[in-house]
Amino acid sequence: MCGIVAAVCGSRDVRADVLAGLKTLEYRGYDSAGMAVLHDGAIEIRRKMGKIANLEKELQENQLPSSTQAIAHTRWATHGPPADRNAHPHCDDRKDLVIVHNGIIENYLELRQELTDCGHAFSTDTDTEILANLIAMYMRQGQDLHGAVRAALEAASGSYGLVAMAAAEPGVLVVARMDSPLVIGVGEFGRFAASDMPALLHLTREFLILENGETAVLKSDSHQLFDKSGAPIERDLYHCNWSPEEAERGGYPHFMLKEIYEQPAVLARTAFDRCNDQKGDIEFELEFGLSQDDLRSIKRLRFMAMGTSQNSALIGQQMLAELARIPGETLNASEFLYSPELEEDNALTVVVSQSGETADTLRAMREVQRRGGKVLGICNVQGSTLAREADHLVLTHCGPEIGVASTKAFFGQVTALYLLAIHIGRANSTLDAAAGRKLIEDLRHLRVNLDASFRPEVSEQIAAAAKYLATVKSCLFLGRSLQHPVALEGALKLKEISYIHAEGYPAGEMKHGPIALIDENFPVVALATTGRTYQKMLSNIQEVRARSGKVVVIAASGDSVARDASDFMIEVPEVPELLAPLITIIPLQLLSYQVALLLERDIDQPRNLAKSVTVE
Ligand code: F6R
């Protein structure tokens, strides 16, 4: 969603630094962009609807003066349509101060009325402009910028990641956070702020992470954090081990493609350091913090997540049931709030999120904790809200995922859930050491098999199926058991980046309704890998073909029965059933990518979507 980058330095002109940071946030999804500087006591702002390239053009034609402090923003419209005037930064009506803001001020109408009554005038449709005027009002009443920001946020309700600068206080940035991520970068020549660490990796790898309700005053050579009550607080620096290169495309045409190709490396990073092959155990790092006794006491699991992460959670649920014999359910995190309060004893909630900042997911996590339950987070971003607030944590170590359509994060999550299932299974003795060793060995073999997914023959099969799918309006994805969530994920990928309508179903459900849709123009993508569901999947494929539906089949290499039953066959290596989701997801990701490429879609930034959905 919206992105923030800001800098304050001693002598360096920061315009280019801030713009470079803004560009790294392009992937988050936005509809306009802007930047403001403070120069010779005056605030100057440039804002443009559309891509950052439009802002850059504006900055060339209508340059901002050089400045040692700047704030910039990419906006994802909430209040008011995408338009130059609604783009951030926003200033008060006398241009005394300027702010960028992520989040939503819920009582903005009430505040607007109060400010109008006091004579303030507004020129945008945004809630942010109201906040800017409110802060300005407190400054005029004698507060400094920090005091005025705190007073305004006291009066406002809602969520914010905020950076403010005032003409009267050169060399100062004030930042604040409530339910919308905000990090402070501590560099050699200045202090920085951003909604996301990758936006500052070209400037520093040392960060301070702001907690809800906290504010900070940044100067070129110092920073001071304050808690909710305004009392100064100290915090250790957090060193981010992501490199700036990891957040770059590295020669690939799209981040999504780069991230699909990174999956073999993700397997190694997520899994192998944690595997004790000799003992058949998984050794999680310290952050995990669940003792063997804790693990043995778990009688029920609840998985919660949104989108792709929910699909991986559904796979995790099945893995945990199979290997650790613990029953579980998977909930869409946004629905959890409305569920009845049940006993949390002997239950563990596994919350899965790539970003660790998804608003619905965080809300659900906090609700579990409020009800007395414990949360294990599975998360990719160290230092994110989920990583900090979960009672226990497993990091997936996928590296930054930039493409809006999640790929390697799904892969890392499923891998981590497989490890978790082995770990709990070993602890509660549903798996003995030999079984643990075998499951780890299977994972090591998978590493070799993954390379086969990128062979030229397979790429040709995917290209042929993609050429066909690019011509259709709708499509069904079918799978059973562990391949059912893969079907859901395949459909999600296709609709997200190609805008072709696609739905995933358990194949057994097809005859209960969706089959009515099948005709020569309504194809099916069927996951028919070897295992307990294979024969039934073949029957489903025949049912589709009997109704003139075309079928793209994902099946094991050399499976001539599946080949004969398919219009398009995409081969995958044969792997143990439990690991098959990690092998079948790759052609589905590549299939969507190829379809979107043929349809000339904006693959890394599909319309209307945002990478990290930080509002409910
Ligand atoms: C789909 C996608 C989204 C996210 C969802 C949850 O490609 O990326 O569906 O999976 O918004 O995000 P995280 O995992 O960051 O909580």
Side-chain angles (χ1 to χ4, degrees):
M1 301 206 127
C2 307
I4 288 177
V5 186
V8 55
C9 292
S11 54
R12 184 180 167 111
D13 174 10
V14 294
R15 290 172 303 169
D17 294 328
V18 168
L19 192 63
L22 207 58
K23 282 187 187 164
T24 69
L25 293 178
E26 282 214 279
Y27 70 94
R28 290 175 67 108
Y30 67 100
D31 48 56
S32 50
M35 194 198 289
V37 297
L38 185 59
H39 179 81
D40 276 349
I43 288 166
E44 292 256 13
I45 306 174
R46 303 287 182 272
R47 311 185 287 209
K48 266 299 174 217
M49 188 174 145
K51 297 282 176 196
I52 293 175
N54 297 358
L55 174 67
E56 275 183 295
K57 192 160 169 268
E58 168 72 8
L59 290 172
Q60 275 156 17
E61 288 164 6
N62 192 5
Q63 272 198 3
L64 279 172
S66 68
S67 178
T68 54
Q69 68 187 110
I71 62 177
H73 191 261
T74 48
R75 172 176 190 251
W76 189 87
T78 56
H79 296 67
D84 287 355
R85 71 172 196 291
N86 286 333
H88 295 216
H90 289 291
C91 57
D92 66 298
D93 56 1
R94 292 198 216 158
K95 234 175 164 180
D96 286 339
L97 69 87
V98 63
I99 66 173
V100 286
H101 163 225
N102 289 356
I104 293 177
I105 301 302
E106 283 159 6
N107 59 341
Y108 81 105
L109 283 175
E110 203 180 293
L111 294 172
R112 186 185 171 107
Q113 191 54 54
E114 282 169 28
L115 288 163
T116 309
D117 294 345
C118 295
H120 287 260
F122 301 98
S123 53
T124 80
D125 309 317
T126 65
D127 49 343
T128 302
E129 188 190 13
I130 288 154
L131 205 53
N133 277 282
L134 197 60
I135 299 169
M137 188 185 86
Y138 286 116
M139 281 193 85
R140 271 168 226 138
Q141 290 172 3
Q143 307 247 35
D144 65 3
L145 180 61
H146 181 236
V149 166
R150 291 197 64 245
L153 294 176
E154 190 92 347
S157 58
S159 57
Y160 47 81
L162 178 101
V163 185
M165 63 183 184
E169 288 185 41
V172 175
L173 296 178
V174 171
V175 302
R177 177 212 165 131
M178 177 61 77
D179 289 337
S180 190
L182 204 106
V183 299
I184 295 166
V186 178
E188 269 173 42
F189 53 86
R191 297 293 182 275
F192 314 98
S195 48
D196 238 2
M197 282 187 243
L200 299 179
L201 289 176
H202 61 301
L203 297 167
T204 183
R205 286 164 80 177
E206 305 303 322
F207 291 93
L208 289 159
I209 295 156
L210 222 54
E211 301 284 355
N212 274 344
E214 292 177 353
T215 54
V217 176
L218 311 184
K219 296 182 181 164
S220 64
D221 56 358
S222 70
H223 53 263
Q224 179 62 63
L225 270 61
F226 299 87
D227 69 10
K228 258 185 203 154
S229 71
I233 42 174
E234 298 296 323
R235 179 153 305 147
D236 290 341
L237 286 179
Y238 162 77
H239 177 77
C240 177
N241 52 20
W242 288 353
S243 68
E245 296 73 39
E246 277 184 291
E248 284 165 10
R249 271 211 310 267
Y252 285 88
H254 297 97
F255 278 110
M256 181 181 179
L257 193 62
K258 174 181 176 241
E259 288 159 6
I260 292 172
Y261 273 83
E262 278 173 354
Q263 290 174 119
V266 167
L267 177 63
R269 284 212 298 258
T270 306
F272 297 143
D273 284 352
R274 291 160 156 159
C275 293
N276 183 330
D277 295 59
Q278 267 150 30
K279 282 166 66 188
D281 283 339
I282 306 297
E283 288 162 1
F284 282 112
E285 307 91 309
L286 285 177
E287 78 259 39
F288 185 63
L290 277 163
S291 70
Q292 299 287 304
D293 280 347
D294 291 336
L295 295 174
R296 277 191 281 271
S297 71
I298 302 169
K299 296 285 171 272
R300 192 164 56 85
L301 288 161
R302 181 198 288 125
F303 297 82
M304 290 201 295
M306 300 299 288
T308 289
S309 298
Q310 190 185 355
N311 295 334
S312 68
L314 281 163
I315 296 172
Q317 177 195 324
Q318 295 188 46
M319 287 172 163
L320 264 297
E322 189 140 335
L323 299 183
R325 318 302 298 174
I326 304 178
E329 59 170 350
T330 300
L331 299 179
N332 183 275
S334 68
E335 289 294 311
F336 178 66
L337 298 182
Y338 318 116
S339 69
E341 284 202 39
L342 302 174
E343 198 57 69
E344 294 285 337
D345 278 0
N346 299 327
L348 178 70
T349 298
V350 182
V351 171
V352 186
S353 172
Q354 186 285 127
S355 62
E357 300 295 353
T358 301
D360 290 299
T361 306
L362 294 179
R363 183 96 193 267
M365 168 183 69
R366 290 174 184 144
E367 177 61 14
V368 171
Q369 291 169 326
R370 190 197 62 77
R371 294 181 186 186
K374 290 277 181 245
V375 169
L376 164 64
I378 307 258
C379 185
N380 189 36
V381 182
Q382 198 170 359
S384 63
T385 307
L386 173 63
R388 284 176 292 118
E389 292 188 18
D391 303 286
H392 311 284
L393 178 67
V394 171
L395 287 168
T396 52
H397 298 306
C398 302
E401 187 179 66
I402 309 287
V404 163
S406 185
T407 52
K408 65 173 179 174
F410 173 87
F411 193 95
Q413 289 162 352
V414 174
T415 305
L417 288 160
Y418 179 79
L419 301 180
L420 183 69
I422 300 174
H423 185 59
I424 301 185
R426 288 286 292 121
N428 67 13
S429 303
T430 52
L431 295 174
D432 60 19
R437 276 199 295 275
K438 167 77 175 61
L439 289 160
I440 294 173
E441 204 180 293
D442 289 348
L443 203 60
R444 292 208 185 268
H445 272 131
L446 184 77
R447 172 67 190 84
V448 181
N449 281 321
L450 279 177
D451 293 338
S453 308
F454 300 103
R455 279 184 303 137
E457 306 89 273
V458 179
S459 302
E460 279 165 29
Q461 293 165 357
I462 293 172
K467 202 166 161 206
Y468 165 63
L469 286 182
T471 66
V472 307
K473 287 210 157 48
S474 286
C475 176
L476 262 188
F477 283 68
L478 299 179
R480 287 173 182 259
S481 181
L482 285 145
Q483 297 289 9
H484 164 227
V486 181
L488 298 179
E489 177 59 10
L492 179 60
K493 287 288 88 80
L494 188 67
K495 75 180 121 190
E496 274 183 305
I497 59 165
S498 74
Y499 316 148
I500 291 174
H501 171 236
E503 298 302 333
Y505 269 93
E509 179 68 13
M510 184 180 65
K511 288 196 279 294
H512 300 271
I515 200 165
L517 298 167
I518 304 291
D519 64 16
E520 64 281 11
N521 300 315
F522 197 112
V524 165
V525 177
L527 293 152
T529 42
T530 329
R532 65 196 121 167
T533 66
Y534 176 67
Q535 287 302 337
K536 286 217 159 53
M537 281 306 301
L538 284 183
S539 308
N540 293 133
I541 290 169
Q542 294 303 347
E543 287 157 8
V544 174
R545 288 176 61 96
R547 285 153 187 88
S548 309
K550 293 228 176 346
V551 191
V552 177
V553 180
I554 320 289
S557 308
D559 181 342
S560 55
V561 180
R563 177 178 302 283
D564 291 346
S566 64
D567 295 283
F568 300 93
M569 161 110 165
I570 301 175
E571 292 178 61
V572 290
E574 199 165 337
V575 299
E577 238 181 309
L578 267 183
L579 291 175
L582 291 174
I583 212 87
T584 50
I585 190 58
I586 293 175
L588 293 190
Q589 294 166 342
L590 288 167
L591 188 62
S592 298
Y593 176 81
Q594 293 296 345
V595 173
L597 205 60
L598 289 168
L599 295 175
E600 298 182 3
R601 305 299 194 218
D602 191 347
I603 292 180
D604 280 336
Q605 295 155 53
R607 70 183 181 202
N608 304 338
L609 290 177
K611 181 66 185 161
S612 188
V613 184
T614 49
V615 290
E616 282 174 60

